[in-house]
Amino acid sequence: QVQLAESGGGLVQAGDSLRLSCAASGRTFSSYGMGWFRQAPGKEREFVAAISPSSNNKYYSDFVKGRFTISRDNAKNTVYLQMNGLKPEDTAVYYCAVKTSSGSYYGPNYDTWGQGTQVTVSS
């Protein structure tokens, strides 16, 4: 059974940067695509970014393109989300997840979610 643990969230000001980490255990990490999602209060969870098993392909939502970068280190079983130019609307709980089904990286093909890490951006 895989477990995911996110870290790196916090309270920052608009324009600041954060790097989120998601450490995985219990599964062959390098075989799976990984994704980052977020959920703001009162809103549905939404896709943020994803990365293929070998890092050859990366996917981003329109609202983070050019600001966020996803990466992974398969030797460390960890996926990262570098967030630059943070905006108040980026405030949310950020979750990582394992892509276990075929199909779009943007779609509902993920399971095994972490507990999330809070990111709060003040204006």
Side-chain angles (χ1 to χ4, degrees), residues 32-83:
Y32 295 92
M34 297 292 296
W36 283 99
F37 294 76
R38 70 186 187 186
Q39 187 167 20
K43 296 186 177 180
E44 294 187 352
R45 186 169 56 197
E46 60 183 357
F47 171 84
V48 175
I51 188 168
S52 61
S54 58
S55 302
N56 287 344
N57 296 296
K58 301 178 182 181
Y59 309 85
Y60 297 95
S61 63
D62 288 342
F63 52 78
V64 303
K65 278 181 182 177
R67 299 190 297 127
F68 292 9
T69 302
I70 190 170
S71 61
R72 66 191 294 164
D73 185 338
N74 287 341
K76 295 182 178 180
N77 282 9
T78 302
V79 62
Y80 304 97
L81 185 68
Q82 177 67 43
M83 306 187 295

Side-chain angles (χ1 to χ4, degrees), residues 38-45 88-93 118-120:
R38 70 186 187 186
Q39 187 167 20
K43 296 186 177 180
E44 294 187 352
R45 186 169 56 197
E89 51 263 45
D90 294 318
T91 295
V93 178
Q118 177 70 48
V119 172
T120 304

